[in-house]
Amino acid sequence: MRKLFYGLAAAAALATLAAQAEAAKDTITLGMQLEPPHLDPTAGAAAAIDEVTYANIFEGLTRIDQNGGVKPALAESWTISDDGLVYTFKLHKGVKFHDGTDMDSADVKFSLERAMDEKSTNAQKGLFKPISKVEAPDASTVVVTLSQPTGRFLFNMGWGDAVVVAPESAEGNKTNPVGTGPFKFKNWTKGDRLTIERNPNYWGTAVKLKSATFKFISDPAAATAAVLAGDVDAFPGFPAPEALAQFKSDPRLKVVVGSTEGETILSTNNKSKYFSDVRVRRAMAHAIDRQAIIDGAMFGYGTPIGSHFAPHHPAYVDLTGMYPYDLAKAKALLAEAGYPNGFKARLHLPPPSYARRGGEIIAAQLAKIGIQLEIIPVEWAQWLKAVFKGYDYDLTIVSHTEPMDIGIYARDSYYFQYDSPEFKALMKKLDMATDEKTQYDILRQAQRKLAEDAVNGFLFQLAKTGVWNAKLRGLWPNSPTQANDLTGVYWVD
Amino acid sequence: MASDGASDGASDGAKEGGLGEVAAKALGNRSFVIGGVLTGVLIVVALVSLVWTPYSVIDMDIAGKLRVPSAAHWFGTDQFGRDVFSMMMVGAQNSIAVSLVAVGVGAGFGVPLGALAAARGGWLDETVMRFNDFAFAFPAVLSAVMITALAGPGAVNSIIAIGIFNIPVFARLTRGGALAIWKREFVMAARVAGKNAVRITVEHILPNVASILIVQATIQFALAILAEAGLSYLGLGTQPPQPSWGKMLNEAQTLMFLAPQLAIFPGVAIVLTVLGLNLLGDGLRDVLDPRLRRLR
Amino acid sequence: MSVFLARRLVALFLTLLGASLAVFLILEVLPGDPATVMLGIGAQEDSLAALRAQLGLDRPAWQRYLVWIWGWFQGDLGNSYAYDEPVIKIILERLRVSLPLALMAITLSTAIGLPLGVLAAARRNSLTDVSVMGFVQVGVAIPNFWFAILMILFFSVFLKVMPAGGFAGWDAGVWPAIKSLILPAVALALPQAAILARVTRSSVLEVMREDYVRTARAKGLTFAAALWRHAVRNALIPVVTIMGLQFSFLLAGTIIIENVFYLPGLGRLIFQAIAQRDVIVVKDVVVLLAGAVVLVNFIVDMSYALLDPRLRGGGHGQ
């Protein structure tokens, strides 16, 4: 019977297989868990937009490389005035948009001013806040003047939200993106796949791939099946860590575990009834077994963290030992806070499996010290409304994937509702600090402060679990920014 | 759906023999016996799980996750190291509870509506039937998805979603059966004797449609179990830590390559349960309605 | 007859209107702001306000309802918030998957269910009959999504002869496209085939007991001839009714099955649209689906009335 199936399959698929084998060398099918809502990175915060367009279709003045460094892109060089306020960018000459129009300083000026505009729907307006004016003295020079020195300005200009678009095509970028990148948009079957193809008139080094298809597979099981069946050549952000062990033993596949900027935390409402008491938060920290969560929810992929900071950053301090797993101590702390028999609280869980699975484990762990959690699964829409905007929650699990985002703890209206003048003072000092050593010192103090206050349950740094065909080269193992940069991808035999 | 024939069988079947005769007939009916045994096992397992399971279904043992079936864990362990057999026992409880309430909601609203429509006729009948069409126009899963998007996923909301879809089923069936009986001589006689519509409905109509309603309820019960599993599979039904078969299948799908056995047991449990209920329904129909029995 | 037709048409229209109102109201109270979902966590308040104004979300509810309904009459279903494209275009794109899938499933279930039912009736109480009835019981009891998982496990992962999911797209060629619909169609068709087999069997048996068939048999017509000449044709009436009813089950089924196989069809569209708060898409697709169900039931009712004049007067109990 089985032989018959093989025979039938072979006969039926012979022609297509032969065709595929020939073409397989310069095309790629990439799996992505989330589909972008549209394709304009300057008008939305969805990571999926950048994961399709960044560096492939759109380029900015600078770009972020796979190690998180800043590299020149449309700007071939720049100079910074001594006071750190005036940036003069020298643009590459002869750059054309995909529709054939020239890219010059006017387009850069337009792009920046469009993002800064009052009516702009750019999701990261904060990146452009320091800019006071943009000038274009000649076609290949852009002068940006800042209102205050901003150390990360060049890095910020490398974000997907700061890419350069043309006034003629900007409005249509959501459905028909026109950029300057090495790939052109080809077509998009909503809910299924999106294809980009090589841009023959690219100003820089031409890419090796002729075309690339992004296939959107949200379900982890379907993603696993698609990888095993060879429906996708690569799945850089693979959503089902449980399947990686199986992939590892498959010689066709390569499993790559890299780092992300995602601090996965048990966000705590610091103004809610029980959790406003630091003793309760500390009790919780003593009752959480991080390794069990990493093993159970992520199948071992992830690095424990003791504060809100990425372990691969040079200023990282390991604070995971501050609250060792100790149920007796946790119970004592709870009793001290006035809850010897524990209490009931809510745990809102957004859709990703780290949250849903991690939440189940945390609920089981906290039950041991008498904290009964009611699990409330929510869609992102509800999460944004109830938790993020409405502060109507006790606990939630979420991965904060923005790079270097410890500053959110100093924000007045952030959903943790953490309000610490000391921490705010630290962040103010950080903004003023000019040399790296002082900055790192302050960052270390900040990490300690957060851990001491047990602001949130600090769980683990999300790993980037990627799987791809063993013959593929050039995909990013880490994710310093949200991107699937395909410019250096190629096949070997 | 088993609307084949059950609907027009509004005879006085149940009244034909004594209880003893019905019981004897029942025991001689293969479908009834098999269905009864399967359903009985399910109920016993669910009841036992209320007081005892081999392991706790809450406590996790991450180090002992995804074990294959063994003497210690008959069905192995899940991704959190919980005992699958214990979870399935509690899952039975959950399936029964959700489906029972959902069918109760459906019959509780549907039967009075249908009886009312048949008794009054006219615009009332028309209105009730239009509402029925309206409710039928939304596929069950669709309305369930919308309800859970609105009120959040959970067991209670899935009960409401499944229950709402059951209302028109019972309303149609009751109305159809009742309409036929209203035309019968003994009802005419009762009317002439001055009994009012409510009394006639309670004393004559309902007892006579009871048998088809019971049969249909069994079948709706089976459908409700399938629906609950489907909703939980989509993540909209019963929520953790409460184990449910559909949820277990959902979890198992991502683990299908590591631990295929996880995808097998809950599925088999659902099939056996639904099979048992359907057989029981068929058997009941044969037993309660001799006219239909000749068809089999 | 025309009075009956007119009454049913009015009822059809009212049902649709009711459905549209219900969906609109449900989505009005649905928690979650489309603008927040579209712009994400980092979005600032002024960006959100700008987007809401752009989407027309700042207008009162009744105005939005009327604009929406008026659009339907003009063939304009609005623009999707999430995709920023005409909803009609998205729906048509999705129908290229859902429609062939539904057709394949109906064809399959009929092709399996009808012959099995007739066969079982013809060989009543034989081993064939018992096997068919066994198939029926199991087919009805299997959750289609579980059956789908088992098929993926067997055909895609173990044998690797079928795609595990996804849609190849019609531009990839007819065969790859059809191929990606085979497993989903089988998963959808199996329970329906079982139901159809059961209904066919019992209605064939019923017809065979009718007096005129008995008379024909007494006059020397062979069993097989009687079966073909009378039973099968007459038995089709209830069978067609059931097929009409199955339509809504099929639609419901696609919501789950399209999710299992991640097919870009209408069922998955609505599931995603609800999660993304793409309210316009949800409204349009729900009304469309409800409309399809109502229309099919209407057609079934009409054909029923044509076949059985007694039913034209009253309602349509069973």
Side-chain angles (χ1 to χ4, degrees):
Chain A
M1 191 64 181
R2 199 171 154 182
K3 250 184 196 153
L4 180 71
F5 273 117
Y6 277 128
L8 278 175
L14 204 65
T16 42
L17 274 181
Q20 273 168 3
E22 230 169 87
K25 296 289 170 247
D26 58 356
T27 64
I28 182 177
T29 304
L30 215 82
M32 274 173 60
Q33 195 184 7
L34 295 177
E35 178 173 22
H38 58 78
L39 296 173
D40 186 353
T42 66
I49 302 174
D50 288 328
E51 284 168 5
V52 169
T53 62
Y54 189 76
N56 298 329
I57 296 179
F58 289 111
E59 297 170 307
L61 288 170
T62 61
R63 61 178 286 180
I64 299 166
D65 73 0
Q66 58 175 308
N67 302 313
V70 181
K71 291 275 146 65
L74 290 177
E76 58 179 19
S77 63
W78 51 80
T79 54
I80 309 169
S81 66
D82 291 339
D83 57 4
L85 287 178
V86 183
Y87 285 70
T88 309
F89 293 96
K90 200 93 202 129
L91 303 182
H92 273 285
K93 289 207 176 76
V95 178
K96 284 191 188 307
F97 282 102
H98 298 152
D99 60 0
T101 57
D102 287 323
M103 194 288 301
D104 58 24
S105 57
D107 296 303
V108 178
K109 184 168 153 60
F110 166 78
S111 302
L112 293 180
E113 284 175 347
R114 174 170 170 261
M116 291 153 61
D117 190 79
E118 208 178 297
K119 285 201 198 116
S120 149
T121 51
N122 194 303
Q124 300 291 345
K125 274 188 177 169
L127 298 178
F128 309 95
K129 228 168 209 155
I131 301 179
S132 68
K133 68 176 181 227
V134 184
E135 292 154 301
D138 65 64
S140 61
T141 311
V142 177
V143 180
V144 179
T145 310
L146 307 184
S147 51
Q148 64 191 66
T150 310
R152 295 178 67 79
F153 184 68
L154 286 172
F155 185 86
N156 290 351
M157 287 300 104
W159 282 52
D161 307 79
V163 296
V164 173
V165 297
E168 302 87 18
S169 51
E171 284 314 308
N173 277 345
K174 283 186 174 175
T175 49
N176 181 27
V178 175
T180 55
F183 288 97
K184 291 196 295 188
F185 169 75
K186 192 173 167 207
N187 57 42
W188 182 7
T189 310
K190 302 277 156 63
D192 187 40
R193 62 176 62 209
L194 186 153
T195 305
I196 56 177
E197 61 186 353
R198 189 193 290 149
N199 170 12
N201 304 317
Y202 185 54
W203 59 272
T205 324
V207 285
K208 295 199 174 98
L209 293 176
K210 202 172 114 216
S211 73
T213 299
F214 298 90
K215 224 164 152 28
F216 310 113
I217 308 173
S218 56
D219 184 57
T224 310
V227 170
L228 285 176
D231 292 349
V232 295
D233 300 314
F235 215 124
F238 188 71
E242 58 270 32
L244 293 176
Q246 157 130 7
F247 294 165
K248 273 186 181 162
S249 64
D250 191 329
R252 297 175 300 150
L253 302 171
K254 189 163 132 195
V255 174
V256 181
V257 181
S259 60
T260 71
E261 298 297 324
E263 290 83 20
T264 310
I265 57 176
L266 176 67
S267 302
T268 308
N269 188 343
N270 279 250
K271 289 204 173 130
S272 67
K273 189 175 169 204
Y274 303 107
F275 301 105
S276 54
D277 189 329
V278 69
R279 288 169 299 189
V280 173
R281 300 198 301 266
R282 283 181 183 152
M284 213 157 62
H286 278 297
I288 288 174
D289 178 357
R290 290 189 188 93
Q291 199 55 49
I293 297 170
I294 295 172
D295 288 344
M298 308 308 292
F299 285 73
Y301 297 98
T303 315
I305 51 171
S307 186
H308 195 105
F309 213 73
H312 51 260
H313 194 279
Y316 174 75
V317 224
D318 185 355
L319 297 165
T320 50
M322 192 179 264
Y323 304 101
Y325 182 68
D326 186 344
L327 290 182
K329 194 153 187 197
K331 277 187 192 150
L333 276 168
L334 266 191
E336 206 185 307
Y339 311 110
N341 301 317
F343 53 83
K344 280 197 166 117
R346 298 168 300 163
L347 173 61
H348 283 78
L349 298 178
S353 66
Y354 66 73
R356 293 277 163 95
R357 281 194 185 148
E360 267 197 74
I361 299 173
I362 282 179
Q365 289 179 350
L366 293 188
K368 290 194 175 141
I369 57 166
I371 301 181
Q372 304 292 338
L373 294 182
E374 181 201 350
I375 291 178
I376 305 172
V378 286
E379 293 295 337
W380 280 118
Q382 287 157 286
W383 188 86
L384 287 168
K385 189 177 162 88
V387 177
F388 194 72
K389 287 266 152 86
Y391 314 142
D392 180 19
Y393 78 107
D394 297 321
L395 299 169
T396 183
I397 296 179
V398 74
S399 200
H400 281 257
T401 54
E402 293 77 14
M404 268 304 281
D405 54 358
I406 197 169
I408 53 180
Y409 288 79
R411 287 196 200 166
D412 281 327
S413 54
Y414 208 62
Y415 74 110
F416 311 140
Q417 305 230 72
Y418 173 62
D419 190 1
S420 158
E422 295 95 320
F423 190 84
K424 282 180 184 160
L426 276 175
M427 286 299 112
K428 200 156 264 167
K429 253 166 78 185
L430 181 68
D431 279 345
M432 286 321 197
T434 43
D435 67 305
E436 200 168 67
K437 195 188 160 297
T438 326
Q439 283 177 349
Y440 284 5
D441 275 347
I442 299 168
L443 283 172
R444 287 187 191 104
Q445 287 174 44
Q447 292 172 55
R448 277 205 189 85
K449 174 73 185 151
L450 293 183
E452 273 159 21
D453 286 348
V455 182
N456 292 316
F458 301 106
L459 305 176
F460 58 89
Q461 193 75 15
L462 204 61
K464 172 163 173 164
T465 48
V467 54
W468 50 78
N469 192 301
K471 290 179 179 165
L472 261 181
R473 297 288 182 274
L475 281 162
W476 287 12
N478 301 321
S479 117
T481 185
Q482 297 146 344
N484 283 311
D485 184 340
L486 299 177
T487 51
V489 175
Y490 60 97
W491 290 89
V492 294
D493 284 315
Chain B
M1 297 240 7
S3 42
D4 48 314
S7 39
D8 57 340
S11 74
D12 291 54
K15 291 188 169 176
E16 272 177 13
L19 210 59
E21 196 187 325
V22 172
K25 244 198 271 178
L27 288 178
N29 182 296
R30 200 174 47 195
S31 295
F32 183 87
V33 172
I34 300 176
V37 168
L38 283 174
T39 311
V41 168
L42 175 81
I43 293 172
V44 168
V45 166
L47 288 177
V48 168
S49 78
L50 284 174
V51 290
W52 178 82
T53 51
Y55 294 86
S56 157
V57 294
I58 304 291
D59 285 350
M60 296 179 179
D61 170 22
I62 305 282
K65 69 183 176 201
L66 300 180
R67 292 253 164 89
V68 292
S70 65
H73 297 281
W74 291 357
F75 288 179
T77 59
D78 77 345
Q79 74 274 20
F80 298 136
R82 292 174 298 193
D83 181 53
V84 172
F85 186 74
S86 306
M87 290 177 74
M88 300 234 337
M89 287 177 69
V90 181
Q93 195 193 107
N94 178 69
S95 281
I96 292 182
V98 170
S99 311
L100 204 62
V101 181
V103 174
V105 167
F109 286 95
V111 172
L113 272 180
L116 189 71
R120 289 264 181 255
W123 65 268
L124 192 75
D125 185 21
E126 190 70 14
T127 312
V128 169
M129 285 302 111
R130 286 293 79 78
F131 258 104
N132 262 341
D133 287 351
F134 178 62
F136 252 132
F138 290 95
V141 179
L142 186 61
S143 52
V145 169
M146 302 226 324
I147 286 173
T148 49
L150 195 65
V156 175
N157 293 326
S158 58
I159 286 174
I160 296 172
I162 301 168
I164 285 180
F165 197 66
N166 270 315
I167 296 176
V169 173
F170 283 101
R172 273 189 184 205
L173 198 61
T174 311
R175 175 180 171 275
L179 275 182
I181 293 169
W182 272 100
K183 298 191 184 102
R184 301 282 276 277
E185 295 85 4
F186 65 94
V187 176
M188 300 286 185
R191 282 171 100 167
V192 172
K195 288 190 186 174
N196 67 18
V198 176
R199 227 177 123 191
I200 294 177
T201 300
V202 172
E203 284 179 11
H204 299 288
I205 308 288
L206 288 183
N208 277 297
V209 293
S211 65
I212 48 167
L213 287 180
I214 290 171
V215 170
Q216 194 64 33
T218 323
I219 285 149
Q220 291 308 121
F221 196 85
L223 287 176
I225 288 200
L226 281 177
E228 195 275 335
L231 287 181
S232 295
Y233 170 77
L234 287 177
L236 305 175
T238 310
Q239 292 302 321
Q242 175 75 13
S244 102
W245 294 343
K247 183 94 180 46
M248 289 171 80
L249 278 179
N250 174 317
E251 299 277 347
Q253 203 184 346
T254 49
L255 300 161
M256 169 155 89
F257 310 95
L258 273 183
Q261 75 273 10
L262 289 179
I264 305 294
F265 297 121
V268 171
I270 296 171
V271 172
L272 286 181
T273 304
V274 175
L275 192 64
L277 284 164
N278 282 341
L279 286 174
L280 189 68
D282 288 353
L284 272 175
R285 180 187 313 161
D286 294 350
V287 171
L288 296 177
D289 199 333
R291 192 190 75 84
L292 288 165
R293 191 178 175 199
R294 273 178 272 129
L295 282 181
R296 303 209 155 245
Chain C
M1 190 64 204
S2 56
V3 177
F4 176 67
L5 188 77
R7 259 182 60 194
R8 297 311 318 267
L9 270 175
V10 169
L12 180 103
F13 181 74
L14 285 180
T15 309
L16 279 182
L17 206 64
S20 75
L21 202 59
V23 171
F24 186 83
L25 289 177
I26 287 178
L27 293 177
E28 271 307 299
V29 282
L30 199 64
D33 165 29
T36 319
V37 178
M38 287 166 74
L39 287 185
I41 300 190
Q44 284 164 8
E45 204 43 59
D46 47 349
S47 320
L48 289 174
L51 185 62
R52 274 189 214 112
Q54 201 181 312
L55 297 175
L57 287 172
D58 48 354
R59 281 194 275 178
W62 64 270
Q63 268 187 25
R64 277 180 284 130
Y65 178 73
L66 289 182
V67 167
W68 173 50
I69 291 295
W70 184 235
W72 266 85
F73 285 106
Q74 296 176 313
D76 171 18
L77 309 193
N79 265 28
S80 154
Y81 295 159
Y83 290 127
D84 201 23
E85 270 199 325
V87 179
I88 185 98
K89 195 176 155 217
I90 298 175
I91 289 179
L92 288 177
E93 220 168 74
R94 299 298 177 110
L95 276 177
R96 283 155 61 94
V97 178
S98 288
L99 215 56
L101 178 61
L103 286 178
M104 277 169 78
I106 286 192
T107 315
L108 254 171
S109 76
T110 315
I112 300 169
L114 272 186
L116 278 186
V118 174
L119 197 70
R123 309 232 174 109
R124 204 178 150 203
N125 290 334
S126 71
L127 185 65
T128 319
D129 186 20
V130 173
S131 320
V132 169
M133 291 316 281
F135 159 77
V136 165
Q137 291 293 1
V138 174
V140 177
I142 287 190
N144 57 9
F145 63 89
W146 185 58
F147 185 57
I149 295 174
L150 292 184
M151 284 199 299
I152 296 178
L153 203 56
F154 187 70
F155 291 105
S156 309
V157 179
F158 183 60
L159 292 182
K160 299 193 172 62
V161 293
M162 283 286 174
F167 185 60
W170 290 108
D171 32 310
V174 175
W175 170 239
I178 296 274
K179 200 175 158 190
S180 40
L181 295 179
I182 290 178
L183 291 189
V186 172
L188 279 173
L190 180 88
Q192 310 298 340
I195 294 166
L196 213 57
R198 179 162 71 187
V199 177
T200 310
R201 176 182 175 275
S202 58
S203 59
V204 167
L205 284 181
E206 187 131 13
V207 175
M208 290 298 278
R209 287 190 309 114
E210 296 276 341
D211 291 342
Y212 68 96
V213 181
R214 289 186 185 188
T215 318
R217 289 266 283 143
K219 282 184 180 164
L221 199 66
T222 63
F223 182 81
L227 192 72
W228 279 117
R229 205 167 293 172
H230 300 288
V232 173
R233 198 147 37 107
N234 286 311
L236 277 181
I237 298 166
V239 169
V240 167
T241 315
I242 290 296
M243 283 170 69
L245 280 176
Q246 285 189 348
F247 188 74
S248 84
F249 285 90
L250 208 61
L251 282 179
T254 57
I255 295 181
I256 298 188
I257 290 296
E258 284 179 5
N259 268 296
V260 176
F261 289 96
Y262 62 100
L263 294 174
L266 273 188
R268 219 163 75 94
L269 175 68
I270 194 161
F271 200 71
Q272 288 174 324
I274 289 176
Q276 294 171 336
R277 293 300 178 273
D278 196 348
V279 178
I280 287 212
V281 172
V282 179
K283 284 191 293 203
D284 285 339
V285 178
V286 168
V287 169
L288 194 77
L289 289 185
V293 173
V294 175
L295 195 72
V296 167
N297 282 345
F298 173 74
I299 293 169
V300 168
D301 275 355
M302 293 320 292
S303 54
Y304 221 53
L306 281 177
L307 294 167
D308 189 351
R310 281 172 297 172
L311 281 172
R312 273 177 221 160
H316 62 115
Q318 278 280 321

